[in-house]
Amino acid sequence: MKHLRRDWQLYSLAVLPLLFLVIFRYLPMLGNVIAFRRYEPGGALFGEYWVGLRYFRMFLGDPTFWQVFTNTIVMGGLTLLFCFPLPIVLALLLNEVRTRWLKGFVQTISYLPHFLSIVVIAGLILQTVSIDGVINQGLRAFGQDPVGFIQDPAWFRTLYVSSEVWQTAGWGTILYLAALTTVDADLYDQAKVDGANRWRQTWHVTLPGIRPTMITLLILNIGTFLAVGFEKILLLYNPLTYETADVVSTYLYRVGIVSGSFSYAAAIGLFESLIGLALVLGANTLSRRVAGTSLW
């Protein structure tokens, strides 16, 4: 209370963010109760009557749910596999660039995709890989038949993950570049005295120096493992690619918003959230035991 009275002007800056969290993050959790109640649009706010675990049994016995859940696991795994390490590699490469204008130019070019709207990104992808797009025009120039990338389920994951890498790799380097500035320069000098080359310095000095940042971001990324980009997938997929493109979030949109099965969708959403919570807790515990660094 003493600090609060003394620095109340600084603490007041947190009022709006806290209100945002309470209104848009915590209060909506009350709506999870409809996963256990029969909800009808226009009826009682928290459902008409209790149905217990009925909706959980429904989606656990639905083959379509397990298909989209598998797609979510695969898509999230590929995204984590490629999108997590690439910003680290790019940050390390940028850290070795000594020409300031070249470093700034590369950073600017790599940051730009992050500021493009998802709608613009999806439009660029669709135009590029369409039957009359640049890629198929190149294939025709080499005497090859055009490929229906948008209609072929086998290509959807490649398109999604590659676009995610292009859009997020540059922006993800910011935190790592900031962490690199905290590495003690004397450690590099000591490593040089011991005969370490640039690769050894990176492996034994740089990477351990940014390890806490890497672990923190890895835990946060694991927490959003199942929250695969809803907007981009919704804009890119079509009924022909549901086999590999349909994920939990798009499935919830169709059965919850479009079809009006709000209680069913709430049950699936609650199930997904519990899995995400378990992944965060598990990753945090494993990180604390193995690396000695964790979120809490």
Side-chain angles (χ1 to χ4, degrees):
M1 293 301 297
K2 178 181 177 181
H3 291 292
L4 184 61
R5 286 193 298 268
R6 185 186 63 189
D7 301 319
W8 67 269
Q9 296 95 336
L10 296 177
Y11 285 107
S12 65
L13 297 175
V15 172
L16 288 179
L18 288 175
L19 285 176
F20 174 84
L21 288 175
V22 170
I23 295 174
F24 295 103
R25 292 293 184 267
Y26 285 95
L27 288 180
M29 291 184 184
L30 298 175
N32 284 325
V33 72
I34 69 172
F36 307 95
R37 296 176 63 89
R38 171 67 177 175
Y39 176 81
E40 296 180 358
L45 181 61
F46 294 108
E48 303 296 333
Y49 53 87
W50 286 95
V51 295
L53 300 177
R54 174 189 175 188
Y55 295 111
F56 291 89
R57 289 191 292 266
M58 285 176 60
F59 74 75
L60 289 175
D62 184 4
T64 303
F65 167 76
W66 291 111
Q67 179 183 347
V68 300
F69 186 75
T70 302
N71 290 341
T72 305
I73 295 292
V74 173
M75 203 89 76
L78 291 174
T79 303
L80 185 65
L81 178 64
F82 289 100
C83 293
F84 175 73
L86 284 179
I88 302 174
V89 174
L90 183 57
L92 294 175
L93 293 175
L94 288 172
N95 192 52
E96 298 297 323
V97 176
R98 295 294 176 259
T99 307
R100 293 188 63 181
W101 71 265
L102 178 60
K103 182 178 181 179
F105 175 77
V106 173
Q107 284 181 282
T108 302
I109 294 299
S110 61
Y111 292 169
L112 283 178
H114 175 79
F115 296 98
L116 296 177
S117 167
I118 295 293
V119 177
V120 174
I121 295 291
L124 289 173
I125 296 172
L126 293 175
Q127 291 295 324
T128 303
V129 300
S130 65
I131 294 298
D132 298 323
V134 175
I135 295 179
N136 277 317
Q137 289 181 11
L139 291 176
R140 290 192 186 96
F142 287 98
Q144 302 294 322
D145 295 329
V147 178
F149 295 101
I150 301 300
Q151 295 78 25
D152 190 352
W155 280 102
F156 185 86
R157 291 168 181 165
T158 303
L159 295 176
Y160 176 81
V161 175
S162 58
S163 65
E164 280 291 295
V165 170
W166 173 66
Q167 189 177 3
T168 61
W171 184 255
T173 62
I174 293 179
L175 289 177
Y176 295 112
L177 288 173
L180 287 170
T181 62
T182 64
V183 180
D184 191 353
D186 292 338
L187 296 177
Y188 292 104
D189 296 333
Q190 296 171 13
K192 290 179 183 178
V193 172
D194 293 336
N197 56 25
R198 296 300 299 176
W199 168 251
R200 288 295 181 182
Q201 292 177 38
T202 300
W203 186 259
H204 294 289
V205 178
T206 306
L207 287 178
I210 64 174
R211 184 174 64 179
T213 302
M214 293 167 54
I215 292 176
T216 299
L217 293 178
L218 178 60
I219 294 173
L220 294 176
N221 286 336
I222 291 176
T224 58
F225 182 77
L226 297 179
V228 183
F230 164 72
E231 296 89 351
K232 184 182 292 185
I233 293 178
L234 186 67
L235 293 169
L236 291 177
Y237 82 157
N238 58 74
L240 295 176
T241 57
Y242 280 175
E243 179 184 347
T244 58
D246 199 14
V247 294
V248 171
S249 56
T250 55
Y251 180 68
L252 287 178
Y253 170 75
R254 292 202 314 276
V255 301
I257 305 300
V258 178
S259 300
S261 301
F262 295 100
S263 294
Y264 183 70
I268 298 176
L270 182 58
F271 176 75
E272 181 186 15
S273 299
L274 292 176
I275 292 179
L277 176 61
L279 289 173
V280 170
L281 295 176
N284 189 74
T285 302
L286 182 63
S287 173
R288 185 171 59 249
R289 293 182 177 179
V290 175
T293 303
S294 61
L295 285 178
W296 63 86

